Amino acid sequence: MNNKKTNSKNEKYLQEAILQEKARGTPDLEIGRKYGVTFRYIERLITRTQGLNVSALDVPKKIKTLHPKDFKEEHTTVWSFKQRGNWATHSGEYRGNWSPYIPRNVILKYSKPGEIVLDYFCGAGTTAVECKLLGRKCIAIDINDKAIELAEKNLNFSVESQQLTFLNIESHLQIYEPELKVGDARDLSFLKDNSIDLICAHPPYANIIHYTDSKEGDLSFFDIDDFLKEMSKVARESFRVLKPGRQCAILIGDTRKQKHVIPLGFKLINAYLNAGFKLRELVIKRQHNCKTTGFWYENSIKYNFLLLAHEYLPIFEKPKTHTSLKIREKEVNYNLPVSVLEKPLLKRRLDELETTTVWIFPTKDFEERLNKNVIDRYSNGSDYSTITFISHNNKGIKFTEKKKEGKIRLLFIKSPFLNNSPSYSNIEYYLKEIKNIVIQQLPNINKDGFLVIQTQDVRIDGYIEPLPKKIVDILEDDNLWLKEIVVVTPEEANSNSLNSTEYLKIAHQYLLVYEVRK
Ligand SMILES: C[S@@+](CC[C@H](N)C(=O)[O-])C[C@H]1O[C@@H](n2cnc3c(N)ncnc32)[C@H](O)[C@@H]1O
């Protein structure tokens, strides 16, 4: 009994000491070392005592500049911001807040000055601050009253409308103070149907990071299945309040369980599509805090896993009418895809392999580098076959066939025909064939061997057909375990020199890596 009392007294002293260190601005790493506690321990202590998950306590903010220097809008589907952005009152203090470059791009692309932007996962108010800076009206809610207080603090600065002239708008913009309130994203009944011009929000990623000390309704306490059920309610409310023809941008990342990926991003996209939305864009947001050298490198090779280095920013659109789309068809005369055996032209060297989920290669040897990485990582360099979907015109398919005898360690399916604007019927056929091939070929792959599918999103009639997501949906099979979702993109595609058009240029492909379990 006495021991228990002494322990809890010691714990109290320890926690007070940690809070004092935090108030002095001591970094978490130093606190961890000094008091022998983990980062998780410090995070929980802060969330419990402060009511919100912040890395720094009450640090006064000095505004150095109101806008980012040399800002250029994104024109492709791969967005990458080396600096997280610290203009105005933006800072990384609220755990899991998004880079202000994301709402800035979304707001500038999909809304006009004076229009209403809704963020129903307000957090520290990053979107609201951007709306204020860009002359948009904003409604922002959060389940946590403490987050709303923090957002109010972050909005406590003044902007002169002349300071917005950098946007190349002749007339001065009006500044609107955002409306903030405590609320639940699943219930937007305070908003009328068809009243919002743009939704721009960043939910919790199921229960990966807790944002409150288990506040009622906090979606960061739901496990993946329940989180998705709750997010379906958010998606339905979003569809109701958004004006027809307008956009809803949601940032979401995947998670891992037992060294396998859980495709939370694709599953959340389904929730919004089921609510009636169309997919206008599927943007990949790169993460830069990933370690790729030394310890991480060795373990990535040894345990064969990649560090998650990307998130998804689906941009949904509420269709203007419910009439069915015109379907553009092309003549197809499809032969079965064929097996060909390719040897990577590059030498096999394990110290040159990629270690995160984003692979960037120069255009000139893009396919070669990609093949080498797949084959070296997922086969022992020889026991593999490839199946290539080559073309979809009405002249049939040219192919060379070399079948590998006996069991293989890797089956690699490639889909270059997707670069040539396929039609709906082409992609329907493609998805059916992928499923058939996998059923047929699975017995030929060794247990613990791999199936890798190189595929990509395509745009048809102005909307994205997310084929990688659709393949993940159709290959839910007990014998297959989704191990990785890798994004591959050419180096040059990310340069921002492209002219702005109505749509983003699709600049990335995917590798879906499955492990065979049977
Ligand atoms: C990823 S954070 C958003 C961060 C924000 N974009 C920023 O930059 O600060 C997710 C937020 O969702 C809030 N949240 C969780 N469940 C909610 C719900 N049911 N309704 C509204 N907000 C909720 C959390 O309190 C947290 O602030």
Side-chain angles (χ1 to χ4, degrees), residues 222-317:
F222 287 82
D223 66 14
I224 293 192
D225 289 342
D226 288 335
F227 170 76
L228 288 166
K229 269 188 215 144
E230 298 310 306
M231 282 303 293
S232 298
K233 297 179 190 162
V234 179
R236 285 197 291 273
E237 277 293 76
S238 307
F239 194 82
R240 180 182 68 75
V241 301
L242 196 65
K243 290 180 183 168
R246 304 307 297 261
Q247 289 75 29
C248 166
I250 304 290
L251 185 73
I252 185 77
D254 292 329
T255 172
R256 278 196 183 282
K257 212 177 195 177
Q258 298 169 317
K259 298 212 195 85
H260 286 75
V261 71
I262 314 265
L264 186 59
F266 288 168
K267 286 176 188 275
L268 188 67
I269 290 175
N270 282 340
Y272 278 76
L273 295 180
N274 291 339
F277 283 106
K278 296 270 183 191
L279 192 57
R280 183 184 167 108
E281 303 288 355
L282 183 42
V283 172
I284 294 296
K285 151 79 176 38
R286 286 182 57 200
Q287 280 174 311
H288 284 279
N289 53 353
C290 300
K291 302 189 175 64
T292 54
T293 51
F295 173 82
W296 286 107
Y297 188 87
E298 275 166 35
N299 281 301
S300 159
I301 303 291
K302 190 167 161 198
Y303 300 110
N304 201 2
F305 75 95
L306 301 171
L307 284 170
L308 292 179
H310 71 277
E311 294 165 290
Y312 308 86
L313 180 74
I315 296 169
F316 302 100
E317 188 168 289

Side-chain angles (χ1 to χ4, degrees), residues 28-67:
D28 288 351
L29 198 67
E30 215 173 288
I31 299 179
R33 270 198 211 119
K34 191 164 166 187
Y35 296 93
V37 291
T38 60
F39 173 74
R40 263 271 146 111
Y41 182 92
I42 303 172
E43 192 181 35
R44 283 209 192 110
L45 175 67
I46 300 287
T47 310
R48 200 178 63 243
T49 54
Q50 310 300 306
L52 80 172
N53 194 343
V54 280
S55 60
L57 302 185
D58 244 352
V59 184
K61 283 176 194 152
K62 278 198 198 114
I63 297 184
K64 288 194 203 111
T65 161
L66 272 183
H67 291 281

